[in-house]
Amino acid sequence: MNLLPFSAVVGQEEAKLALLLNAVDPKIGGVLLRGEKGSAKSTLARGLADLLPGSSPFVELPVGATEDRVVGTIHLAAALTGGEKRFDPGLLALADGGVLYVDEVNLLPDHLVDVLLDVAASGVNFVEREGISHSHRSRFLLVGSMNPEEGDLRPQLLDRFGLAVDVRSSTAPDDRATAVRRRLEFDADPEAVKKDFAGAQAALAKRLSAATPATLCDELVASISALCASVGAEGLRADLTICRAAAALAGWEGRDATTSEDVRRVAPMALVHRARRDPLDPAGIDHDELDSAMDEHLGAGEETAAGDHGELRDHPEASDRREASDGAEPREPRPGLIPLPSRGNGPRTSAAGGGSKARASRGRLIGDRVPRGPIASVAVGATVRAAAARRSAIAEPDQPLVAEGDVREAVREHSQAHHVVVAVDASGSMGAPQRVEAARSAVLGLLVDAYQRRDLVSLVSFRGEGAELLLRPTSSVEVARARLQVLPTGGRTPLHAGLTRALEIAKTKASTHRPLLVVITDGRATFAPDGLDPLEAATSAADAIRRAGVDSVIVDVEGAGGGPILGLARQLAERMGAQHVPAGAFSDNPAGTVERVARERTGPVA
C-alpha cells in the first residue's frame, strides 16, 4: 500500500510527538486525534506503524464492525465440519504488536469502545462467549480519531485515552502550500517521495527502537500530582499519564532523567480532554490557568524551552478560547426542571449506560434462544454449536450441515437513541424573542444529555413565509453553541411550514434514532402557501405527523404574554396525537419546560 511516510507529513508536530511517545511507552494509553477531516490524522497513524520494529501490523477498525469481528468468536468451519470448538481470532488479535486505528471513534458503539480501552490497558483479550473461553495477548498502540462536530465521546471514555491532540490544518499559506505540493508529488510518484524520505524514516525508526522511558524522581511525581489536583483532574489517570509521557519524552530525547520541562511539554496533551466538568463548559483547557499551575508546582519555565517547544505546548484553539472567555459573564446555573404529568403510556425508561435499552435485530449480543416466530437475527455461533452437536451425535452421512431445529435466534440489546427536534414559532407575535431564547437555552440543555448518550438534537425556526433549519442533527455542544448565537424573529406565522419541516428533519435519522418533536407555539397560523387557509394547512400538517407515528409534544405559549386564549394549540395537539403542555409551565420556566418535556419522553440519563 502506498502511504505517505510519517516524516513526510508537513507540520502536526504535537500529534507526531504524542504518537511517538506512545510508541516509546504504550502504557501511556493511546492517542486521541481530534480535528476536521483532511488534517492527516489517518496518515500519521498509518505512518507510525512503519516506524515500529519488525513488520508491525496496522489494523483499522471500521465504525460498523460487530463485536464478533472485534474480539473473535467460534470458528464456524471447524465447528460445522468436525464439531470442534475452536477460537477464530478477531481484530484485537490481528493488531497485536502494532497499531489499532479507529477512525470516528466517537461514532463507535460505547460497548466496543469500552472493550478496546480495556484490552489496550491490560494487553490481554479475554473472550467468554458462545461456548468459547479463550484469552490471548493483544498489545497494540491505540489511536482514535474524531471530528468534534459529529459529537464527542462520553467523559468516561475520553478519560481512558492517555493523550489527546487537536489536529488542524495550518492557516499559514506557506505551510499549506508545502503540504499540498508534497501530496501532489506523492500522488504523481510515490516511490520517489519514499526514496527522498527513506533516510529520515530510517533515522526515526532507529531512534524509536533505542528509546526507553527515563527515570522519574519522587519529587517530580509529587509535583505532577499537585499539578493535577490543582487543575481539578479527577481520578489518577491524568497523574499516571503525565508521569509516563514525561519519562517517555526524556527517553525519546536521549536523557536519563525526567525534568520539569518534560512535564510542561506533555501536561497539556494529558489534560486537554480531562478539563471539561460540564458539557456546556468550553472545550479544552484554559492555558493561562494551566501555565499558572505549572509555574506554581513545577517552577517557572525556562525561556529557551518555551521558545523551542511552544508549538507543542499550545493548542490551536487556545487563544480563541481565552478571547472568548475574557470578560464573559459567569454562566448562570441551569434552571430547575418542571415536573410534568406523564401521559397514559408513561415515560420511557432508561437503563445503565444511557439511552433506553431495547431488544432488536442489531446491537450487542447478550444471548440466544430457540426461535418463537419469525427470526429477527440469527445467532450464528449458537446455531453452529447446535448443528455440530447434532451431527456428532447422529452418524448419518447425508444429514444437512444445518437443520431447521439447529437455528438459534440472537438476543441483542442496544441503547435506543433519540432525535429531539425542537420547532419554535419565531414570528412577531408577543413574546417571540423570549420564546426563541428559551428554545436556544433548551437545546443547549438537551445536549447535556446528548453528551452522555447518543441522542441528537435539532432546532427548526418558523416565521414569515417559511421554516428554517437552524441546527442540523447533532450531539455536539460546541457546534450548537456556535450555530445558535443569533436567532432571528418577526413576521407572520407559517405553522404549516414549521410542522412540515420538523417532520422532514425527524425522518432523516429515523432509521437510527427514535424521533421526538417538541413544538413551541400558540397554535395561531397566519400564513400558508398558494392561497391555502393557514389553519387548515396547519391541521393537515398535524395529521401527517400523527399518521407518521412520530412522538410529539406541543408546548402551548398561548396566553403567556397576557393575550386571549383560544385553545388553538390544544386543538393542534389533539390532531397530532401530541402531549399538550399548557402556557403556565412554560412561562414560569421556559427552558426548563422544554428540557423536562424531552426527558419525560426519552427517559433519564443513568
Side-chain angles (χ1 to χ4, degrees):
M1 181 180 294
N2 283 327
L3 300 173
L4 187 69
F6 187 89
S7 57
V9 175
V10 177
Q12 308 298 4
E13 300 304 321
E14 191 174 42
K16 291 178 182 177
L17 180 61
L19 292 167
L20 291 168
L21 295 183
N22 271 268
V24 173
D25 184 1
K27 290 183 180 179
I28 289 173
V31 183
L32 179 62
L33 304 176
R34 307 195 304 179
E36 71 268 15
K37 296 183 181 298
S39 51
K41 298 188 297 293
S42 61
T43 301
L44 287 172
R46 292 175 182 276
L48 181 66
D50 289 339
L51 298 176
L52 299 179
S55 300
S56 299
F58 177 87
V59 176
E60 183 168 0
L61 191 151
V63 170
T66 64
E67 190 171 5
D68 290 350
R69 182 71 183 110
V70 174
V71 303
T73 186
I74 189 171
H75 193 290
L76 299 182
L80 283 172
T81 57
E84 180 183 357
K85 291 184 180 179
R86 187 197 308 171
F87 181 69
D88 190 10
L91 296 177
L92 292 177
L94 298 178
D96 185 37
V99 175
L100 179 61
Y101 176 60
V102 188
D103 192 16
E104 298 181 323
V105 64
N106 52 323
L107 304 183
L108 198 68
D110 286 349
H111 71 274
L112 286 185
V113 181
D114 281 328
V115 168
L116 292 178
L117 293 168
D118 284 341
V119 176
S122 66
V124 179
N125 179 32
F126 293 96
V127 182
E128 297 282 348
R129 55 187 294 131
E130 297 183 329
I132 290 289
S133 179
H134 181 82
S135 65
H136 63 82
R137 196 182 83 154
S138 183
R139 298 178 183 174
F140 52 83
L141 196 161
L142 178 63
V143 182
S145 66
M146 56 177 281
N147 184 346
E149 289 196 357
E150 296 172 343
D152 217 335
L153 280 168
R154 290 192 291 117
Q156 301 92 320
L157 300 178
L158 272 175
D159 181 57
R160 301 276 300 278
F161 276 94
L163 304 178
V165 178
D166 289 329
V167 182
R168 297 188 181 277
S169 301
S170 173
T171 57
D174 290 345
D175 292 342
R176 294 175 71 95
T178 300
V180 170
R181 280 195 298 269
R182 188 159 298 167
R183 183 72 238 187
L184 292 174
E185 291 169 358
F186 184 78
D187 291 342
D189 192 345
E191 295 306 318
V193 174
K194 289 181 180 179
K195 184 177 180 180
D196 290 342
F197 285 90
Q201 286 287 104
L204 268 179
K206 181 178 180 181
R207 182 179 172 186
L208 192 58
S209 64
T212 57
T215 59
L216 195 68
C217 67
D218 291 342
E219 291 79 2
L220 193 54
V221 172
S223 297
I224 291 170
S225 291
L227 167 65
C228 293
S230 69
V231 298
E234 298 178 353
L236 296 178
R237 284 200 179 99
D239 309 50
L240 288 168
T241 298
I242 293 175
C243 286
R244 288 170 173 154
L249 175 58
W252 169 247
E253 297 188 341
R255 289 179 275 109
D256 295 329
T258 309
T259 68
S260 60
E261 284 305 315
D262 296 319
V263 176
R264 283 180 170 275
R265 290 169 59 186
V266 302
M269 294 187 287
L271 294 171
V272 66
H273 56 306
R274 296 182 169 97
R276 179 181 279 184
R277 310 287 191 283
D278 187 294
L280 295 179
D281 291 340
I285 190 169
D286 187 319
H287 281 247
D288 287 339
E289 177 186 346
L290 179 58
D291 286 342
S292 297
M294 289 194 292
D295 287 344
E296 178 182 354
H297 299 291
L298 301 173
E302 299 176 8
E303 291 296 330
T304 55
D308 290 341
H309 306 293
E311 185 177 4
L312 299 180
R313 289 182 56 202
D314 210 358
H315 285 259
E317 293 181 309
S319 59
D320 294 340
R321 294 191 197 106
R322 285 195 292 268
E323 290 174 6
S325 62
D326 287 344
E329 293 293 328
R331 184 163 51 83
E332 293 293 330
R334 290 172 57 216
L337 303 180
I338 298 175
L340 295 179
S342 27
R343 297 174 66 193
N345 57 354
R348 295 181 178 87
T349 59
S350 175
S356 304
K357 296 297 182 182
R359 298 290 175 86
S361 58
R362 59 187 179 88
R364 188 175 191 177
L365 180 67
I366 60 173
D368 60 80
R369 64 188 178 193
V370 175
R372 292 172 290 185
I375 300 176
S377 176
V378 174
V380 177
T383 299
V384 169
R385 289 202 312 273
R390 173 183 54 79
R391 288 168 58 82
S392 62
I394 305 174
E396 296 180 3
D398 295 331
Q399 60 183 310
L401 286 178
V402 178
E404 183 177 354
D406 300 331
V407 177
R408 298 293 182 267
E409 182 178 16
V411 179
R412 299 182 181 275
E413 181 180 75
H414 74 283
S415 294
Q416 176 68 65
H418 295 80
H419 177 199
V420 182
V421 182
V422 181
V424 59
D425 177 358
S427 63
S429 58
M430 183 181 299
Q434 291 83 356
R435 294 203 298 272
V436 171
E437 179 57 31
R440 176 182 180 277
S441 299
V443 168
L444 292 175
L446 290 172
L447 282 165
V448 174
D449 287 353
Y451 182 76
Q452 301 176 62
R453 59 189 185 184
R454 299 195 176 275
D455 284 358
L456 299 174
V457 178
S458 302
L459 179 62
V460 172
S461 169
F462 54 96
R463 67 187 185 98
E465 297 183 358
E468 180 182 5
L469 177 61
L470 297 180
L471 180 66
R472 295 182 181 278
T474 183
S475 61
S476 171
V477 180
E478 297 172 41
V479 172
R481 189 193 303 276
R483 302 277 169 83
L484 301 179
Q485 290 298 319
V486 179
L487 301 185
T489 61
R492 292 180 287 180
T493 308
L495 184 55
H496 167 270
L499 296 178
T500 301
R501 185 67 169 136
L503 179 59
E504 290 174 355
I505 300 303
K507 288 180 177 179
T508 60
K509 300 293 181 179
S511 62
T512 56
H513 291 72
R514 184 165 188 162
L516 168 65
L517 300 187
V518 179
V519 184
I520 304 173
T521 183
D522 57 8
R524 301 182 186 184
T526 60
F527 174 80
D530 302 326
L532 298 175
D533 179 78
L535 186 57
E536 290 181 0
T539 301
S540 175
D543 290 340
I545 292 174
R546 186 182 194 119
R547 288 194 302 271
V550 175
D551 198 10
S552 55
V553 177
I554 294 287
V555 179
D556 184 356
V557 297
E558 189 178 34
I565 298 178
L566 304 177
L568 297 176
R570 180 180 292 277
Q571 296 173 24
L572 186 69
E574 291 175 355
R575 293 299 295 257
M576 286 174 60
Q579 178 182 359
H580 177 260
V581 180
F586 184 84
S587 58
D588 290 341
N589 188 348
T593 298
V594 179
E595 288 184 54
R596 184 70 182 110
V597 164
R599 292 195 183 105
E600 281 286 318
R601 308 308 304 160
T602 61
V605 175

